[in-house]
Amino acid sequence: MTANPPYPDIRSLWQETVSRRPVFDALTGGHQFDVAIIGGGYTGLSTARYLARRGLCAVVLEASQIGWGASGRNGGVVSGKFRLSFSDIGARYGVETARRMHDLGIEAIDHVGELVEDYGIASADYRPTGALRCAHNQISLDSLKKEVAWLKTALGDHACSILSTEQMQAETGSRDFVGGMLNTHGGVIHPLNFVLGMAAGLKAAGIAIHERSPVTAIRRDRDGVVLETPGGTVSAAQVVIATNSYSDLTPATSAVRKSLIPFRSAMIATAPLTGNPGEGLLSQRRSYTETRRMMRWFRRAGDRLIYGGRGAFGKSDSDNAFAALHKAMVRQFPDLASVSVTHRWSGLVAMTMDSIPHLGRFDDRVIYAVGYNGTGVALASNMGRYVAAMIAGEKPDLGLLTCVPLKPVPLYPIREPAVRLVAGWYQFLDAIGR
Ligand SMILES: Cc1cc2nc3c(=O)[nH]c(=O)nc-3n(C[C@H](O)[C@H](O)[C@H](O)COP(=O)(O)OP(=O)(O)OC[C@H]3O[C@@H](n4cnc5c(N)ncnc54)[C@H](O)[C@@H]3O)c2cc1C
């Protein structure tokens, strides 16, 4: 992806296998819109889609290129889960809140299929193959069993089942798991082709999108807001901040930045496995996540295997993080020891203090939709329908996403060492099997 400076190129597998990149001019001159959207990822684009459906005229302003943020470089796992399990949400906030959140997740997954269909994004290669949680020890397996039972009895969701050690070995090709939880909701997608397909569909529908147009300031005037970019300005009644973990590119979005903890997530892709060791691994082509706190995940993409995981806070890619991922991959899939790694890349996920994404307003002119905590492919690409509802003056009920306010990160200036400390503690707990 050739993103202009100061936005570094991303050398991902997705970038190498991108099908078609629509081109969008930078903003020049002064323009008037009903709504200005900052950020050209899933959240910003889905907001433009649903505003158009309500007859409102919106513009999407992207600092770099569409999909340069997390939307074009993520793992492509389509999931409706949150960082908190639904049973945890039920215990803390009540079963009805858990039900609303669960419904939201299912709706978001279904919506991915709708977007692919509506915009004809065959290149997104969406496969609703489900998700497998892989238990690394008995304690984790026991809690997966409890979750499956709770989902059935409390929410009536029968899509989840427990797999035995033998079934896990047959499913994954690894001997590393004592059992697992198969969830038939969700699947996998090519994330960059998905976001570019959305943008191409919006462009065809006449929606204004500008790349290389970083919003450097948001000013207020008598009627609304004025957004400044290097080449032009946009006046609008309302502005939507959809910049998630990349909210520190300019000071314009500092209001949300201070409530988000950026956590680096990295991944590696193997060379094609066809005719190589490991060819039969992950044969069902699902998404696979471990139960360790410093979660690793894996999937197939074409004939390659992709392996990813969270690292501690870091300003850029680190050789050590990639080496640790490779080591973990080979430990879990010894067949891959002799297979070379062809791609390595990373990006930032936006964690929130309460582990929940947030949709809300700072005031009558500024709306934000951020904080997906690493699971935004489905949720963010469905968020626009609710942002649009809020802009139209409605009060959508998204469970915890709308009823709990976005909290600032305490001691924000020392977040980097704090995240490293937490990551180290999680690694320790994983290492001792807790
Ligand atoms: C490595 C990685 C792996 C992940 N894996 C998964 C996964 O498998 N499944 C899953 O569900 N989720 C995953 N996620 C999370 C998911 O990608 C995000 O939650 C989702 O993409 C968020 O979309 P967004 O549109 O809100 O933000 P983004 O896609 O990050 O878009 C924000 C955009 O705002 C732009 N921007 C910032 N400041 C400005 C400004 N001042 N002016 C104009 N534009 C600006 C940025 O350039 C950026 O393009 C992953 C994330 C990462 C980083």
Side-chain angles (χ1 to χ4, degrees), residues 341-399:
V341 165
T342 52
H343 300 77
R344 332 184 309 174
W345 71 100
S346 75
L348 296 173
V349 300
M351 303 303 208
T352 52
M353 289 303 292
D354 51 15
S355 307
I356 291 161
H358 288 272
L359 164 61
R361 277 187 176 283
F362 288 123
D363 55 39
D364 60 340
R365 299 176 191 186
V366 185
I367 287 185
Y368 56 84
V370 291
Y372 298 99
N373 286 272
T375 49
V377 174
L379 288 171
S381 56
N382 190 41
M383 190 57 79
R385 78 169 78 224
Y386 298 108
V387 180
M390 204 173 249
I391 283 173
E394 295 166 20
K395 289 197 173 146
D397 167 19
L398 275 71

Side-chain angles (χ1 to χ4, degrees), residues 39 41-43 62-63 69-71 74-75 77 215 243 246 250 348 374-377:
Y42 304 137
T43 305
E62 165 54 44
S71 298
N74 64 65
V77 172
V215 175
T243 48
Y246 291 89
T250 78
L348 296 173
T375 49
V377 174

Side-chain angles (χ1 to χ4, degrees), residues 82-99 101 147 150 352-356 400 403-404 407 426:
F82 297 87
R83 232 173 107 219
L84 297 177
S85 70
F86 291 112
S87 60
D88 272 353
I89 295 174
R92 286 193 216 177
Y93 304 98
V95 174
E96 283 319 306
T97 301
R99 186 184 305 284
M101 305 278 284
E147 184 70 11
W150 191 86
T352 52
M353 289 303 292
D354 51 15
S355 307
I356 291 161
L400 298 175
C403 74
V404 177
K407 294 192 190 82
Y426 283 176

Side-chain angles (χ1 to χ4, degrees), residues 262-265 294 310-314 416 419-421 423-424 427:
F263 217 88
R264 189 159 289 281
S265 185
M294 290 302 286
R310 306 235 166 103
F313 188 103
E416 294 185 30
V419 168
R420 270 198 290 271
L421 206 66
Q427 269 161 349

